[in-house]
Amino acid sequence: WSATSSRENALSTTKPVIESFTFEKIAVSSLPYGYFGGGFLQTPTQTITSDIQRIDYSSDTSTLMVRGKLIIKSNEFSAIGNRDYGFFAGGDSGPGTGIVGTIGRLDYSNDYSRISPRANLETARNHHSAAGNKDYGYFGGGSNSGGTVIATIDRLDYANDTATAVDPLFDARRRLAATSTNDFGYWAGGDENPGFSSLIDRLDFSNDLAAVVVKGPLSKTRSYLTSCGTGNKDYGYIIAGQHPPTPVGVSSVDRLD
């Protein structure tokens, strides 16, 4: 089992614009559509938004339009889903509310409405990441409401929308990436406050109360990285991020075999 770094020559094509200038949005996807929720509006005060915008994969040159709303305005949260629903969990709602533990469900068949509250994370958090399969979503790492970096993983059961704590990450980390196959979830990199990490933790979905197994490591220690979500049955991809000591941006892509 290994993580290898690669850089490929590829051309991207400019597609639609998001309806408003935002950053730190989080995405989930159904087969025909992609959904981008929350984040900061690019205003002088950097207002946090609850908007969810949708891209139509069959007509991806149109401006993304607002479809539904998060339960509460949020950024620095995570999301995971299956073929019918997307789940948005945790995050920072700004002054007055702060770090939240709510889990909201987006119904892909009725995406005009505000998403419905389903459960609460066992630990309210932000700067975490999510992995999952068709039956469960797992939300791991991040910072709690007191600002402490945490290792806990909460499991969401799609059958009854309940959240339960399972085995934690090997080390407490935030701003990490997650990806998964049908059988395993992987949490990679992040920062440990202080220090950046190259760790990759593997959680066995069939035995999620057992200790995670350390795999990898990444080709470089880094934080603020992202991933290709659920990957496929063979590979997961960990992308970009920041690398110490400055820190500087990283353009590499690590493949988890």
Side-chain angles (χ1 to χ4, degrees):
W1 196 97
S2 63
T4 57
S5 178
S6 65
R7 187 170 184 175
E8 297 182 0
N9 294 321
L11 295 177
S12 63
T13 304
T14 301
K15 287 297 185 182
V17 295
I18 293 177
E19 191 175 43
S20 52
F21 295 104
T22 52
F23 59 99
E24 290 194 355
K25 300 184 81 67
I26 302 296
V28 293
S29 182
S30 66
L31 291 176
Y33 303 111
Y35 297 87
F36 304 87
F40 282 109
L41 294 173
Q42 188 61 56
T43 65
T45 57
Q46 292 190 354
T47 305
I48 301 173
T49 180
S50 63
D51 289 348
I52 298 175
Q53 295 173 279
R54 189 183 80 178
I55 183 171
D56 185 339
Y57 296 146
S58 68
S59 179
D60 60 7
T61 57
S62 303
T63 298
L64 276 66
M65 301 300 291
V66 174
R67 302 293 289 189
K69 298 278 188 180
L70 299 173
I71 296 172
I72 188 170
K73 62 182 183 178
S74 191
N75 73 301
E76 300 168 354
F77 57 104
S78 67
I80 194 72
N82 57 22
R83 64 180 301 161
D84 300 311
Y85 303 105
F87 297 87
F88 298 83
D92 187 351
S93 290
T97 304
I99 309 303
V100 297
T102 52
I103 301 175
R105 188 181 76 180
L106 171 67
D107 185 342
Y108 296 146
S109 68
N110 182 25
D111 61 9
Y112 269 117
S113 60
R114 183 178 292 273
I115 67 176
S116 59
R118 310 310 293 182
N120 288 308
L121 296 171
E122 287 285 307
T123 304
R125 66 187 74 200
N126 69 334
H127 289 307
H128 54 296
S129 58
N133 60 15
K134 64 182 180 63
D135 299 312
Y136 301 104
Y138 296 83
F139 303 91
S143 300
N144 65 18
S145 56
T148 301
V149 181
I150 58 177
T152 56
I153 301 174
D154 290 349
R155 181 188 69 196
L156 175 67
D157 187 337
Y158 297 150
N160 54 25
D161 293 337
T162 57
T164 307
V166 297
D167 193 74
L169 299 172
F170 182 79
D171 274 343
R173 308 197 302 281
R174 63 183 177 182
R175 303 180 182 123
L176 65 171
T179 188
S180 56
T181 66
N182 287 331
D183 301 315
F184 300 104
Y186 299 88
W187 281 263
D191 63 79
E192 301 166 306
N193 193 29
F196 284 27
S197 175
S198 62
L199 274 180
I200 301 175
D201 295 353
R202 188 185 75 182
L203 176 70
D204 186 339
F205 293 150
S206 68
N207 188 20
D208 58 16
L209 295 179
V212 299
V213 178
V214 175
K215 295 291 185 177
L218 293 173
S219 60
K220 294 180 179 179
T221 60
R222 50 185 150 147
S223 183
Y224 286 105
L225 63 175
T226 190
S227 68
C228 289
T230 54
N232 62 20
K233 65 183 180 66
D234 299 312
Y235 302 109
Y237 295 87
I238 307 299
I239 302 167
Q242 289 184 343
H243 175 66
T246 308
V248 296
V250 175
S251 61
S252 59
V253 177
D254 284 13
R255 186 184 73 188
L256 312 183
D257 189 341

